[in-house]
Amino acid sequence: MSTNVVDRRRVNGPARSVEPVYASTETADPFAEGREDGRALDQVRPIFMKTGPLSAQESELSSSATASAASGSAFYEQGKIRVSCAVYGPRQGRKSNARMGSFDCDFRYAPFSCSWKRRSHVKAADEKEISLMLEHAIAPAIRVEAYPKACIDAFVTVIESDGRAATIAAAINCISAALADAGIEMYDSVAGCSMGLRGSQWVADCTQAEEDVSSCSALLAFMPSADEITYILQHGKSTPEQTDQAVQTCTNLCTRVYAVICRYLQSSLE
């Protein structure tokens, strides 16, 4: 039997091979020489916002949304985070005998907005969870008793994300501006802020690179005029003293963000 028979049913490997070169999995420390953008540990990124019609938002509505223009809309930008929101209502609610109105939120990432995972047009489980978080954070500020048998819907689209917790905080601020633009009666506007724990220090408004190396993250929604926390969420472990420090710092930062939102809303009326 000949020994030079070649089996053509399989792919024969090369006579000589070399060890493959794998990409390095090590990530650079964004805190090696201070923060990359030069901010202080308790400083948020620059904020830009605008209220008014957002024609692109119409394509994001579900089939239950009306074709008319939104009651209020807003665009919010904080560093590399870009969020848009359209508010519809008050309009006929789902329960005809409800004595108080309801607030519903639909949160979605654009397919190209996230660096940590490729997104499709199908709504993911984390988007549903964030939608409930936003409802719990914003609903206490709305005078739902003033809108019996009615519902108020907010549609939030993340155009670009840079930090998971920071993106949710930006969505809270964007919804507050859109509700004010829609003329919805509220007890106070809600401001959101996030922080990450790096060693023993809290870092405000973390980017995605900073959040990846943080051992703990905190998100807080706050009504400064009413002095009331509407929502708080923490991921990771921290001591009671560190948690108390995060709450105090977040409330102070929310007050600053609230002042920016109010100052813009006042200037838009002039």
Side-chain angles (χ1 to χ4, degrees):
M1 184 176 179
S2 176
T3 58
N4 295 328
V5 177
V6 178
D7 188 354
R8 300 184 182 279
R9 293 173 298 178
R10 69 178 65 183
V11 178
N12 297 294
R16 179 177 176 273
S17 62
V18 296
E19 183 179 357
V21 178
Y22 297 98
S24 176
T25 57
E26 297 182 358
T27 57
D29 187 358
F31 297 98
E33 299 179 356
R35 306 188 75 172
E36 293 182 348
D37 49 11
R39 287 183 291 140
L41 296 181
D42 60 345
Q43 184 179 0
V44 299
R45 283 169 279 189
I47 296 174
F48 169 81
M49 60 182 301
K50 180 182 182 300
T51 56
L54 300 175
S55 58
Q57 187 71 24
E58 295 292 337
S59 61
E60 302 293 335
L61 301 180
S62 62
S63 58
S64 62
T66 61
S68 60
S71 304
S73 55
F75 173 79
Y76 186 89
E77 184 175 332
Q78 187 168 327
K80 292 184 179 180
I81 299 176
R82 294 173 177 84
V83 183
S84 66
C85 175
V87 172
Y88 289 78
R91 55 187 179 182
Q92 180 64 42
R94 299 165 183 82
K95 297 181 180 179
S96 58
N97 59 347
R99 295 185 177 180
M100 299 194 341
S102 62
F103 173 74
D104 297 322
C105 181
D106 183 87
F107 177 91
R108 291 179 183 270
Y109 287 103
F112 50 82
S113 63
C114 305
S115 60
W116 60 83
K117 184 179 179 182
R118 180 178 175 84
R119 300 275 173 178
S120 66
H121 65 281
V122 180
K123 192 172 184 179
D126 60 338
E127 293 174 327
K128 297 179 182 178
E129 181 181 359
I130 295 174
S131 297
L132 293 176
M133 292 167 54
L134 295 176
E135 290 177 7
H136 294 161
I138 299 295
I142 302 176
R143 292 193 59 212
V144 291
E145 68 276 4
Y147 304 103
K149 304 180 182 181
C151 68
I152 301 169
D153 299 320
F155 296 86
V156 182
T157 302
V158 178
I159 303 172
E160 185 175 0
S161 174
D162 188 17
R164 298 180 186 230
T167 300
I168 300 175
I172 293 174
N173 300 329
C174 188
I175 295 174
S176 296
L179 289 171
D181 183 61
I184 303 298
E185 295 188 28
M186 304 174 67
Y187 296 106
D188 193 11
S189 291
V190 183
C193 184
S194 64
M195 301 196 75
L197 183 61
R198 172 64 172 170
S200 59
Q201 291 183 317
W202 285 101
V203 182
D205 190 20
C206 291
T207 62
Q208 188 60 50
E210 294 172 343
E211 190 173 300
D212 290 339
V213 298
S214 299
S215 59
C216 178
S217 65
L219 170 68
L220 186 138
F222 182 61
M223 293 192 297
S225 296
D227 195 19
E228 180 180 346
I229 296 176
T230 60
Y231 192 83
I232 184 170
L233 178 68
Q234 177 177 328
H235 286 286
K237 296 182 180 179
S238 65
T239 63
E241 292 76 13
Q242 290 174 332
T243 301
D244 182 68
Q245 180 185 2
V247 171
Q248 294 295 333
T249 306
C250 278
T251 53
N252 293 334
L253 293 176
C254 286
T255 304
R256 300 181 193 174
V257 175
Y258 174 84
V260 174
I261 297 175
C262 291
R263 187 160 54 247
Y264 170 80
L265 293 175
Q266 290 175 356
S267 63
S268 65
L269 298 176
E270 297 177 355

